[in-house]
Amino acid sequence: MDATDSPYLVGLNLAGRRVVVVGGGSVAQRRLPLLISCGARVTVIAREATPAVDALADFGQIELEVRDYRDGDLAGAWYAIACTDEADTNAAIVAEAERDRIFCVRADVARDGTAVTPASAEYDGLTVGVLAGGEHRRSAAVRNALLDGLQSGAIADAAEPEVAGVALVGGGPGDPDLITVRGRRLLARADVVVADRLAPPELLAELGPHVQVIDASKIPYGRFMAQEAINDALITHAKAGKFVVRLKGGDPYVFGRGYEELEACTAAGVPVTVVPGITSAISVPSAAGVPVTHRGVTHEFVVVSGHLRPDHPESLIDWPALARLRGTLVLLMAVERIDAFASVLTAHGRPADTPVVAIQEGTTRSQRVVHADLATIADRVREENIRPPAIIVVGPVAGFPARIGDLVPGQ
């Protein structure tokens, strides 16, 4: 390929067709997953392969031949990639490919091949590819910018299908960057957004002026009736032909009443899409430098709702059983009743010196972390004026020395 020539960008249908990759190193490791996802019959020829390439062969996703390349190895191939660490070998592969009229990528010197691999990405049925004359950093940067624009809605896909019904979207623990790609994409298409108090407010600021935002925390009539009012809002707007996103903090199904809303919508004949979110039960401790599990320390973690006191007649939690566990307890909605929870755990056998950490507004720039133990956590929470939203972690992992917890979230 002449350096002055502009390559012709084309999509190849490789499903069921033979592709030969010569070389089993990091370049092959990066290229193989996309070839496999395209349905190609991939043969890798290499003296040695990375563990990841070996694993693809072990699972039957590629054929791996551990040996030197030989002239004739491209027979029957539709496409080839020369990615060994030897220039002479790569040149010989390209020469065979040209002789047999097989398009071939040369990874070490792109201009000497007959094909160039674009920086590519998949988005909602689209394949985006960018070529920059061999400037791989530039093509990757433009690809990433296009993908970000599509995901955020800044770049409109004129051919995107109409979305119907309601989407229950988990907005993540607080940092707006921690919403899932699919969640952000559906949010960009919304006509109406019914938002929880814990949904990242920065996400709402990205919405267009035509989007109606309903603050679910301000729907009146008390807690029980509020849920019925939220259900009614979702159904009413969806039946009016609007695409409605129910934006929640964390994950819709982790103490988020998501399934109640799904039941109400489906009973009314409204289609529902559920988009899982990153739950605060795991991500907030992580952001504070606390792993909920650690090898050799804890083999289980339990997520507990703290919205009812242990002695409340409607409580479904077996607190004595939790106290006997040796692993991690993650308490949500527990700040206002932490004294009762600490007391019941120690009363039923959990040592009073068990480490505890309280994390307020985790993953955001306002994050605050307070360390204590079961005997002192209630006093520490009052002294430090810890307020919801906050996560409380009980167990040995809560006493680990801070490593990333001192970093500013979001940076």
Side-chain angles (χ1 to χ4, degrees):
M1 181 188 302
D2 191 290
T4 62
D5 291 338
S6 177
Y8 183 74
L9 192 62
V10 65
L12 298 179
N13 179 5
L14 297 176
R17 297 184 167 97
R18 185 169 190 253
V19 173
V20 177
V21 177
V22 185
S26 60
V27 175
Q29 183 175 314
R30 292 196 305 270
R31 303 286 172 82
L32 289 172
L34 187 56
L35 291 170
I36 292 168
S37 69
C38 291
R41 293 189 298 108
V42 182
T43 298
V44 175
I45 300 169
R47 290 177 184 164
E48 57 181 351
T50 68
V53 174
D54 278 331
L56 293 175
D58 290 341
F59 283 103
Q61 294 178 292
I62 63 170
E63 179 183 345
L64 176 60
E65 299 181 17
V66 182
R67 59 174 177 81
D68 286 334
Y69 160 78
R70 297 189 293 263
D71 187 64
D73 278 339
L74 304 188
W78 290 66
Y79 186 65
I81 299 177
C83 55
T84 75
D85 57 5
E86 299 174 352
D88 289 346
T89 301
N90 290 339
I93 297 164
V94 171
E96 179 187 347
E98 288 204 29
R99 186 185 69 222
D100 293 344
R101 298 185 178 182
I102 300 166
F103 281 108
C104 181
V105 172
R106 180 169 174 176
D108 58 341
V109 187
R111 65 179 180 274
D112 289 346
T114 56
V116 180
T117 302
S120 63
E122 295 290 328
Y123 168 80
D124 200 24
L126 293 175
T127 299
V128 177
V130 179
L131 294 176
E135 296 183 47
H136 301 303
R137 290 180 181 270
R138 184 183 181 197
S139 60
V142 174
R143 182 269 318 273
N144 293 342
L146 288 171
L147 189 59
D148 286 345
L150 288 166
Q151 291 169 351
S152 67
I155 298 176
D157 175 7
E160 69 183 16
E162 292 294 325
V163 184
V166 171
L168 305 180
V169 175
D175 183 338
D177 285 344
L178 295 180
I179 189 174
T180 63
V181 170
R182 190 180 188 198
R184 199 170 206 131
R185 183 166 71 234
L186 291 181
L187 188 61
R189 298 186 186 181
D191 301 304
V192 178
V193 176
V194 181
D196 265 0
R197 178 176 64 89
L198 297 181
E202 295 91 341
L203 295 174
L204 302 179
E206 298 176 358
L207 300 173
H210 66 285
V211 180
Q212 180 181 356
V213 178
I214 300 173
D215 185 347
S217 65
K218 294 183 179 179
I219 291 179
Y221 310 125
R223 175 169 296 198
F224 178 73
M225 289 301 296
Q227 187 59 59
E228 290 187 346
I230 291 170
N231 296 347
D232 182 65
L234 299 176
I235 294 166
T236 299
H237 287 289
K239 286 195 168 184
K242 305 292 187 180
F243 174 52
V244 184
V245 168
R246 175 69 169 109
L247 182 63
K248 296 174 172 288
D251 181 275
Y253 282 3
V254 180
F255 304 128
R257 300 194 178 191
Y259 197 75
E260 294 179 40
E261 293 167 358
L262 180 141
E263 287 182 309
C265 289
T266 53
V270 173
V272 179
T273 299
V274 179
V275 182
I278 299 176
T279 175
S280 59
I282 299 172
S283 56
V284 166
S286 175
V290 178
V292 294
T293 66
H294 188 68
R295 186 170 59 175
V297 175
T298 175
H299 290 178
E300 83 277 341
F301 71 94
V302 180
V303 181
V304 181
S305 171
H307 74 290
L308 297 175
R309 292 179 64 87
D311 56 357
H312 195 286
E314 295 181 9
S315 176
L316 302 176
I317 298 169
D318 188 343
W319 286 99
L322 291 181
R324 291 192 296 269
L325 295 178
R326 299 171 60 187
T328 306
L329 299 182
V330 181
L331 307 179
L332 308 184
M333 301 173 285
V335 169
E336 296 171 348
R337 289 163 286 278
I338 186 56
D339 55 342
F341 301 140
S343 295
V344 74
L345 289 171
T346 53
H348 290 281
R350 193 81 167 195
D353 62 354
T354 299
V356 182
V357 62
I359 309 150
Q360 177 180 309
E361 298 181 67
T363 76
T364 73
R365 292 183 179 273
S366 303
Q367 175 175 297
R368 296 175 61 211
V369 180
V370 172
H371 289 273
D373 56 28
L374 274 178
T376 60
I377 185 60
D379 290 338
R380 292 284 290 137
V381 162
R382 284 193 295 270
E383 291 167 1
E384 298 293 335
N385 197 32
I386 297 296
R387 292 286 182 264
I391 306 293
I392 295 176
V393 183
V394 180
V397 294
F400 283 7
R403 300 189 188 281
I404 66 169
D406 293 333
L407 298 178
V408 177
Q411 288 190 344

